[in-house]
Amino acid sequence: MKRGAWAEELASIRNASVDGVITPKELRGLGVSASSIVNRCLPDGPWQRLLPGIVLLHNGPPSDRQRMIGALTYGGPGSILTGLAGLVSYGYRSAAPSVAILVPHETRRKPHGFVEVDRTRRMPELTERGYLQVAPVHRCVVDAVRRTKDESLCLDLLVTAVQRGGTSIEELAIELSECTTRGTALPRRQLHKLGKGAHSAAEVEAHELYEASDLPPMHLNRDVLDAAGNVIARPDGWLDDVGLAWEIDSLAHHLSVADHERTMLRRSRMQSHGIVVVSHLPKTVRQSPNVVIRELRAAYELAASRPRPNVRMRVIAGESGAHSVDLTV
């Protein structure tokens, strides 16, 4: 493009950018003078300075994607997304207040504006997400939870990543053991709760409430089998000595007609085998803990008052204390 002709060919400039993000060096290579860049990035101009050395070719709020592209450009070669922004690129969250990037330890780059910079000697293998270079899910999750003191957010990030299959409790535990210890106390505690068998934040809250009661120990998310060894259901909680199931009915997972029908069929199947089933909403567990414990205690007494049904819990190798040991399934 001839110098001076760029103003008539703004489409070419946009095509040379990455989603509207471009460097002054690239603009000068397209014939845009340094003074024109400065003028167009003034407060009333059509462009803006997104970050030092980064221009955004419009003057409105940048999108999450533009902020991530800008952060990677600012970080320089070898930089990759991590934390909440990395999870956004995987589709886990809709927005991130800041953009965290990992850069090689020898790279001298300071945090600026919405960009958090983490210099590290443990650069992970990156994943390409369009124009974005992103750390693996387990690294993104751990880098995100190390930056928060919010217990609910920490637990939600860990649970969501595991539930969606992007990582596992084992991968997260390994990453926590290998990273810096700064900010790891909270996620270690929350991951320990998930390691006990809970599959959701609601189940963790329910289990913590239950552990504070005087009721017998409860098994979490274990298959309950009939006399022939067929799986009846996998309740959220199971008291094997009396054949009692506890269900935490999270509305978020039962909004569709199909989900509701599956829940009702599972409950009916358990009851048809003589299992006492008690259920609570996460909201009830959180707001009325005394009511929940009182109802669980009443359900336990009811279950203990009738003959135990002919069902058994699938036993994990090396475990003891269940009503019957499953040696065939």
Side-chain angles (χ1 to χ4, degrees):
M1 185 186 302
K2 294 182 179 179
R3 290 186 176 274
W6 61 268
E8 298 176 2
E9 301 186 42
L10 292 177
S12 297
I13 291 178
R14 175 159 289 279
N15 290 337
S17 72
V18 180
D19 199 15
V21 177
I22 195 168
T23 66
K25 181 179 180 180
E26 291 170 320
L27 286 170
R28 290 193 297 273
L30 293 169
V32 186
S33 67
S35 60
S36 294
I37 296 172
V38 170
N39 289 333
R40 293 181 73 84
C41 289
L42 292 174
D44 59 347
W47 298 347
Q48 62 180 294
R49 295 276 184 179
L50 184 62
L51 290 163
I54 313 293
V55 172
L56 183 59
L57 299 178
H58 67 75
N59 58 10
S63 67
D64 282 341
R65 178 176 169 80
Q66 288 170 333
R67 294 188 337 141
M68 289 188 280
I69 293 171
L72 289 173
T73 306
Y74 173 75
S79 62
I80 62 178
L81 292 173
T82 190
L84 290 178
L87 293 175
V88 168
S89 73
Y90 283 107
Y92 278 64
R93 300 178 65 83
S94 59
S98 59
V99 178
I101 59 173
L102 298 171
V103 300
H105 193 264
E106 60 273 14
T107 299
R108 300 294 177 181
R109 185 68 71 196
K110 295 182 178 180
H112 192 282
F114 59 82
V115 181
E116 299 179 5
V117 179
D118 189 355
R119 294 170 57 224
T120 180
R121 291 185 173 89
R122 296 180 55 251
M123 289 294 292
E125 292 186 11
L126 61 85
T127 299
E128 294 282 352
R129 307 285 295 178
Y131 289 106
L132 304 175
Q133 296 81 47
V134 192
V137 171
H138 65 272
R139 181 65 177 268
C140 290
V141 172
V142 169
D143 284 344
V145 296
R146 287 197 302 108
R147 286 175 163 84
T148 183
K149 295 181 180 180
D150 185 324
E151 291 193 13
S152 296
L153 175 59
C154 177
L155 185 56
D156 178 64
L157 288 170
L158 295 170
V159 167
T160 300
V162 173
Q163 282 184 336
R164 292 182 52 163
T167 185
S168 65
I169 291 176
E170 291 74 19
E171 279 187 315
L172 293 169
I174 291 171
E175 181 61 35
L176 278 169
S177 70
E178 294 180 348
C179 72
T180 175
T181 58
R182 187 177 67 254
T184 61
L186 175 59
R188 285 175 189 275
R189 289 197 304 271
Q190 302 293 54
L191 194 63
H192 178 69
K193 295 174 185 177
L194 293 180
K196 290 182 176 181
H199 289 173
S200 70
E203 288 180 31
V204 168
E205 290 181 348
H207 189 230
E208 287 180 335
L209 171 62
Y210 187 87
E211 284 188 323
S213 74
D214 58 354
L215 289 164
M218 177 175 283
H219 300 278
L220 304 182
N221 293 293
R222 299 288 288 276
D223 288 338
V224 177
L225 315 175
D226 63 18
N230 301 309
V231 176
I232 300 170
R234 180 180 292 178
D236 298 323
W238 176 251
L239 291 176
D240 194 66
D241 61 332
V242 296
L244 183 149
W246 189 23
E247 295 277 73
I248 308 301
D249 292 335
S250 175
L251 291 177
H253 299 139
H254 298 93
L255 289 177
S256 72
V257 173
D259 284 342
H260 179 70
E261 288 180 347
R262 280 193 292 269
T263 297
M264 294 300 100
L265 286 172
R266 185 176 69 253
R267 189 163 302 165
S268 296
R269 191 162 58 247
M270 287 191 285
Q271 291 171 334
S272 71
H273 284 81
I275 296 170
V276 172
V277 182
V278 60
S279 63
H280 292 103
L281 294 173
K283 180 179 179 181
T284 308
V285 173
R286 194 174 303 115
Q287 297 182 356
S288 305
N290 293 335
V291 171
V292 172
I293 293 300
R294 186 165 60 247
E295 292 179 352
L296 280 168
R297 189 174 289 116
Y300 181 81
E301 291 173 357
L302 172 63
S305 69
R306 59 47 165 137
R308 187 188 182 284
N310 188 19
V311 298
R312 55 198 174 107
M313 180 182 72
R314 191 192 300 274
V315 176
I316 297 173
E319 182 181 55
S320 62
H323 182 77
S324 61
V325 179
D326 177 20
L327 301 176
T328 60
V329 180

